[in-house]
Amino acid sequence: MATVICVSNQKGGVGKTTTAVNLAYYLGKDKFKTLLIDFDPQGNATSGLGIDKENLDKTMTDVAMGEATLSEVKVETKYKNLTVAPTSTDLANAEVEMAGLKQKFTQLKKAVAAVANEYDYIIIDCPPSLSLLTVNAMIAADYLLLPVQTEFYALEGVAQLLETMKLVKKAGNQQLKLLGVVATMYDKRTSLSSQVYEEIKKYFKDLTFETTIPRNVRVAEAPSHGAPVGGYDALSRGARAYKEFAKEVEERTGRRKK
């Protein structure tokens, strides 16, 4: 049975999609069969894995509307054990239509449940907003993973996201837990990054991941080549950080043998 993790932060530009893509890639490298669901209408996780989102027969839009299954939309990537359920910009329009569906909050949960036995991990890349799509992802997930940028205003909006998580736990998914907070775009040369990281640790304590994701040119370049950073430059600082981060995720979810 798959461990389902939704990656969310309502603040854009914090490395949310980059974290979802690279976590999924390294979980696959570690021999875990992984499905990455692109549930962000921007479709960056799709294009970041080299998939042309304009030429797809079926996408997560069809899944959201209950008109297709994940098995029908999934695309195998060239990376080991990594499958993606792609999306296109049409998903933004589908969200409006979803609001009229009887089971509008559980569309994704139903779709995920149908394939949960086929994977070890299912990673959901959420939109950078507290939307119906994000609530669907939280209801479908076992864990919420929160990437936080180590810059000024880093924790802005986090309280609201955690409040939404509480409401989801109360109303739709009692099993949902916060897997942890990962500090992204960390620059050890600046005192600001260190201060923000300490602030994150003070706020989230043991839920803060030890691995920090550095601000790294290779991480930024990789999506334009349709690759995770490990497939683009495996020896870069960013690749090494995401590799270590994936191991921490495996430990926290009880799947890594110590």
Side-chain angles (χ1 to χ4, degrees), residues 146-150 181-186 197 200 209 211-214:
L146 181 56
V148 174
Q149 186 180 6
T150 50
V181 179
V182 58
T184 60
M185 303 182 192
Y186 183 80
Y197 184 53
I200 292 168
F209 282 93
T211 306
T212 57
I213 309 301

Side-chain angles (χ1 to χ4, degrees), residues 5 11 29 47-49 56 59 71 75 96 113 126 143 157 168 185 203 224 240 242 246 250 257:
I5 302 169
K11 197 167 180 285
K29 284 271 284 183
S47 55
L49 284 168
L56 295 163
T59 67
S71 294
V75 177
V96 177
C126 298
Y143 295 101
V168 166
M185 303 182 192
Y203 192 87
S224 66
R240 293 199 306 269
Y242 272 117
E250 290 159 19
K257 294 187 178 95

